[in-house]
Amino acid sequence: LSFDELIAASHSERNWVLALIEEEVISVSGTPQQAEFSGFHLARVRRAQRLSHDFEASVPALGLIMRLLDEVEELRKNQRPLSLLDEQ
């Protein structure tokens, strides 16, 4: 997706998406107008929209929330099942 396609697909305002990029909610290489975006980027924008709506969160708060959610997901991926701990 191009930057304009990302904005259209997410029904977002251009400046709001730029603010998400600035807060590193979504990462791009180069300028947003030249970058290519994937479904992953679109999903993150939509998740940020839901969080913004549900909690009336500012863009900087969204950056923090999204980073914390990413950490929780990573910890869950790396967590060993409890049944493995019981066998030792």
Side-chain angles (χ1 to χ4, degrees), residues 3-85:
F3 182 64
D4 290 331
E5 290 170 332
L6 178 69
I7 291 168
S10 64
H11 306 289
S12 299
E13 293 182 19
R14 178 181 215 85
N15 287 338
W16 192 76
V17 175
L18 287 171
L20 291 179
I21 292 169
E22 209 171 281
E23 284 295 324
E24 298 179 355
V25 171
I26 55 175
S27 58
V28 298
S29 55
T31 66
Q33 290 76 12
Q34 296 172 336
E36 287 193 27
F37 297 89
S38 65
F40 175 77
H41 293 104
L42 179 58
R44 287 195 56 88
V45 170
R46 288 183 175 160
R47 188 176 200 185
Q49 287 172 323
R50 286 191 304 274
L51 291 167
S52 176
H53 178 266
D54 292 349
F55 299 107
E56 298 179 11
S58 65
V59 173
L62 289 172
L64 175 62
I65 293 166
M66 297 285 282
R67 281 190 294 279
L68 291 172
L69 289 171
D70 290 344
E71 283 186 37
V72 168
E73 287 175 17
E74 192 64 32
L75 288 170
R76 285 182 178 159
K77 276 195 271 185
N78 295 330
Q79 188 178 28
R80 291 178 19 195
L82 289 176
S83 61
L84 292 177
L85 296 175

